[in-house]
Structures are given as C-alpha cells and as structure tokens.
Amino acid sequence: QQKVQQSPESLIVPEGGMASLNCTSSDRNVDYFWWYRQHSGKSPKMLMSIFSNGEKEEGRFTVHLNKASLHTSLHIRDSQPSDSALYLCAASANYGNEKITFGAGTKLTIKP
Amino acid sequence: NSKVIQTPRYLVKGQGQKAKMRCIPEKGHPVVFWYQQNKNNEFKFLINFQNQEVLQQIDMTEKRFSAECPSNSPCSLEIQSSEAGDSALYLCASSLSGGHAEQFFGPGTRLTVL
C-alpha cells in the first residue's frame, strides 16, 4: 500500500515569511504529485500539480519535484494570514484504477 | 468553484443504524471518488467509480460500506451498520479522467455516530 508522508505535521510562520512543506511517496511507480489546500471547515481545492523533475512557480507558490527520491516540496513566499490552512499532498501512479493517495497534511498557521 | 453537490451536510445516527449520503458529480465528470477524513484530518480512500463501474475499493468498504453510481441518479455511499469509529467527514470528488486529473471536491457530509 502506497504511503504519502508529509512533514512537518504543523508549521507556524510569521506573516511575510517563507513556508516550506515536504512530501515523499513510498511507491516507485508514482509519477504525479498534487498539492491541495483545505481551509478550516471547507473542502480541499487543488493548488498545484507537478510531474516533471524541477520546479514550477505560480505567483507566491513554488513546487519542487525530485523524481529519483519521490520527494516534492511546496514553498510559499510572502506568507499571508489567508494562507493558514491544511496542506495536503497527494500522489498518483498510472495503474489504471485512477486512485490517488493523500498524505495526512501539514497544518500551516501564519501569525500576523 | 467546484460544483460537486453532497447531501446531507450533516448526518447523525445511532450505532447499528444505516447511514446514507449522496453525491452529484460535476457535469461531464465520469470519475467519482469517496474519501473519509477523520478528526485528525487523515484522508482515507474508500472507493472510486468510472461511470457506473467500480474501479477500486478498500477492504473496509467491501464489508459494511456499499456504494453505487447509477446512471442519471446521484452517487451514494451507505454504511449498513454504523459504528462510533465511522464518525468522520465523508468527501466526494469528481474528475474528468481520474488519477492524473484534478479532483474537485464537494462540501462533504459530516457523519456523527452516537
């Protein structure tokens, strides 16, 4: 059974600071990673996805992927209080059953 | 904004009772997922469908849980005999093509088993 490990479990970052979140899959067949954000009391919404080695940037958010180590990281620069949320990493492999596996999440709190 | 509809939003059942929740996926999305998110925010995949066919389901689902996605009707997830440990947020998501496509989540059904 594939596991997706996220670290840290929780993170407190001052407003304007950089938040860095990590995620690793145990399944060598994984070829796609997702980052979802879930605000308190809301449903998850996709933030970014990545399947190629390297880096992808969208505004204040940057995602890195190292396929050899099956490790992805999400970096949020100039963090805002509205970034406070649960960040879920998910991974999928091309098994044909369309399943993706979610990690337990990192709870990010941005302190004003 | 996601257009996945889940009903009811809240469900309270006694132990041993049936609990049924429904999901209408986004129009044109053939793949539907059910997840259970517990009080520790841990996500557990339960089952997924492509059109009306089950693609994969976990063992837990095979025993007390049943789910279906009939054509032209809402998808449903039913727990035959609820247990206290089933108390959780049940999230339905839909996507265009499954594992390598973005999933759009509904607001969830929060089940409390007393």
Side-chain angles (χ1 to χ4, degrees):
Chain A
Q1 177 105 6
Q2 180 199 171
K3 288 202 180 297
V4 175
Q5 301 284 351
Q6 289 189 247
S7 63
E9 284 187 19
S10 61
L11 182 62
I12 300 174
V13 172
E15 184 175 356
M18 171 78 86
S20 295
L21 291 67
N22 298 290
C23 172
T24 304
S25 170
S26 63
D27 185 345
R28 298 232 53 97
N29 294 303
V30 160
D31 56 1
Y32 220 103
F33 284 90
W34 308 83
W35 286 95
Y36 281 77
R37 181 168 66 180
Q38 186 177 22
H39 284 108
S40 181
K42 303 289 186 184
S43 56
K45 287 185 171 48
M46 201 270 286
L47 201 56
M48 292 180 75
S49 63
I50 190 165
F51 59 91
S52 298
N53 261 332
E55 178 180 300
K56 184 176 174 181
E57 183 178 331
E58 290 180 7
R60 296 184 294 109
F61 299 85
T62 302
V63 173
H64 292 268
L65 175 62
N66 181 325
K67 293 185 83 170
S69 60
L70 296 174
H71 179 262
T72 180
S73 56
L74 172 68
H75 306 272
I76 307 171
R77 61 176 172 81
D78 189 23
S79 296
Q80 304 297 307
S82 60
D83 295 328
S84 296
L86 180 71
Y87 287 79
L88 295 159
C89 175
S92 60
N94 199 7
Y95 290 124
N97 60 15
E98 317 299 1
K99 177 186 167 184
I100 73 173
T101 301
F102 282 83
T106 292
K107 185 176 179 183
L108 176 63
T109 303
I110 307 301
K111 287 287 191 185
Chain B
N1 282 335
S2 173
K3 296 178 179 63
V4 177
I5 299 169
Q6 286 190 251
T7 56
R9 293 293 306 275
Y10 301 92
L11 195 54
V12 180
K13 294 291 178 182
Q15 294 199 45
Q17 289 187 319
K18 283 187 185 179
K20 188 169 186 175
M21 53 204 85
R22 292 176 176 81
C23 170
I24 300 175
E26 279 213 31
K27 192 173 180 180
H29 283 192
V31 186
V32 174
F33 301 79
W34 284 100
Y35 296 95
Q36 179 194 63
Q37 187 175 30
N38 66 20
K39 61 180 180 180
N40 296 322
N41 292 318
E42 292 162 335
F43 251 68
K44 182 183 287 186
F45 166 86
L46 296 177
I47 190 168
N48 62 345
F49 294 85
Q50 182 152 2
N51 297 312
Q52 291 78 52
E53 300 285 327
V54 175
L55 290 175
Q56 188 171 7
Q57 60 184 338
I58 65 167
D59 285 346
M60 181 178 80
T61 309
E62 289 166 6
K63 290 170 184 167
R64 292 185 301 110
F65 290 60
S66 62
E68 59 177 2
C69 268
S71 61
N72 302 316
S73 292
C75 297
S76 65
L77 177 68
E78 186 171 24
I79 307 172
Q80 303 302 321
S81 177
S82 301
E83 299 176 355
D86 297 330
S87 295
L89 180 68
Y90 289 84
L91 287 159
C92 175
S94 70
S95 70
L96 274 171
S97 62
H100 287 40
E102 179 182 353
Q103 293 188 17
F104 295 84
F105 284 83
T109 293
R110 183 162 298 279
L111 172 66
T112 302
V113 182
L114 302 174

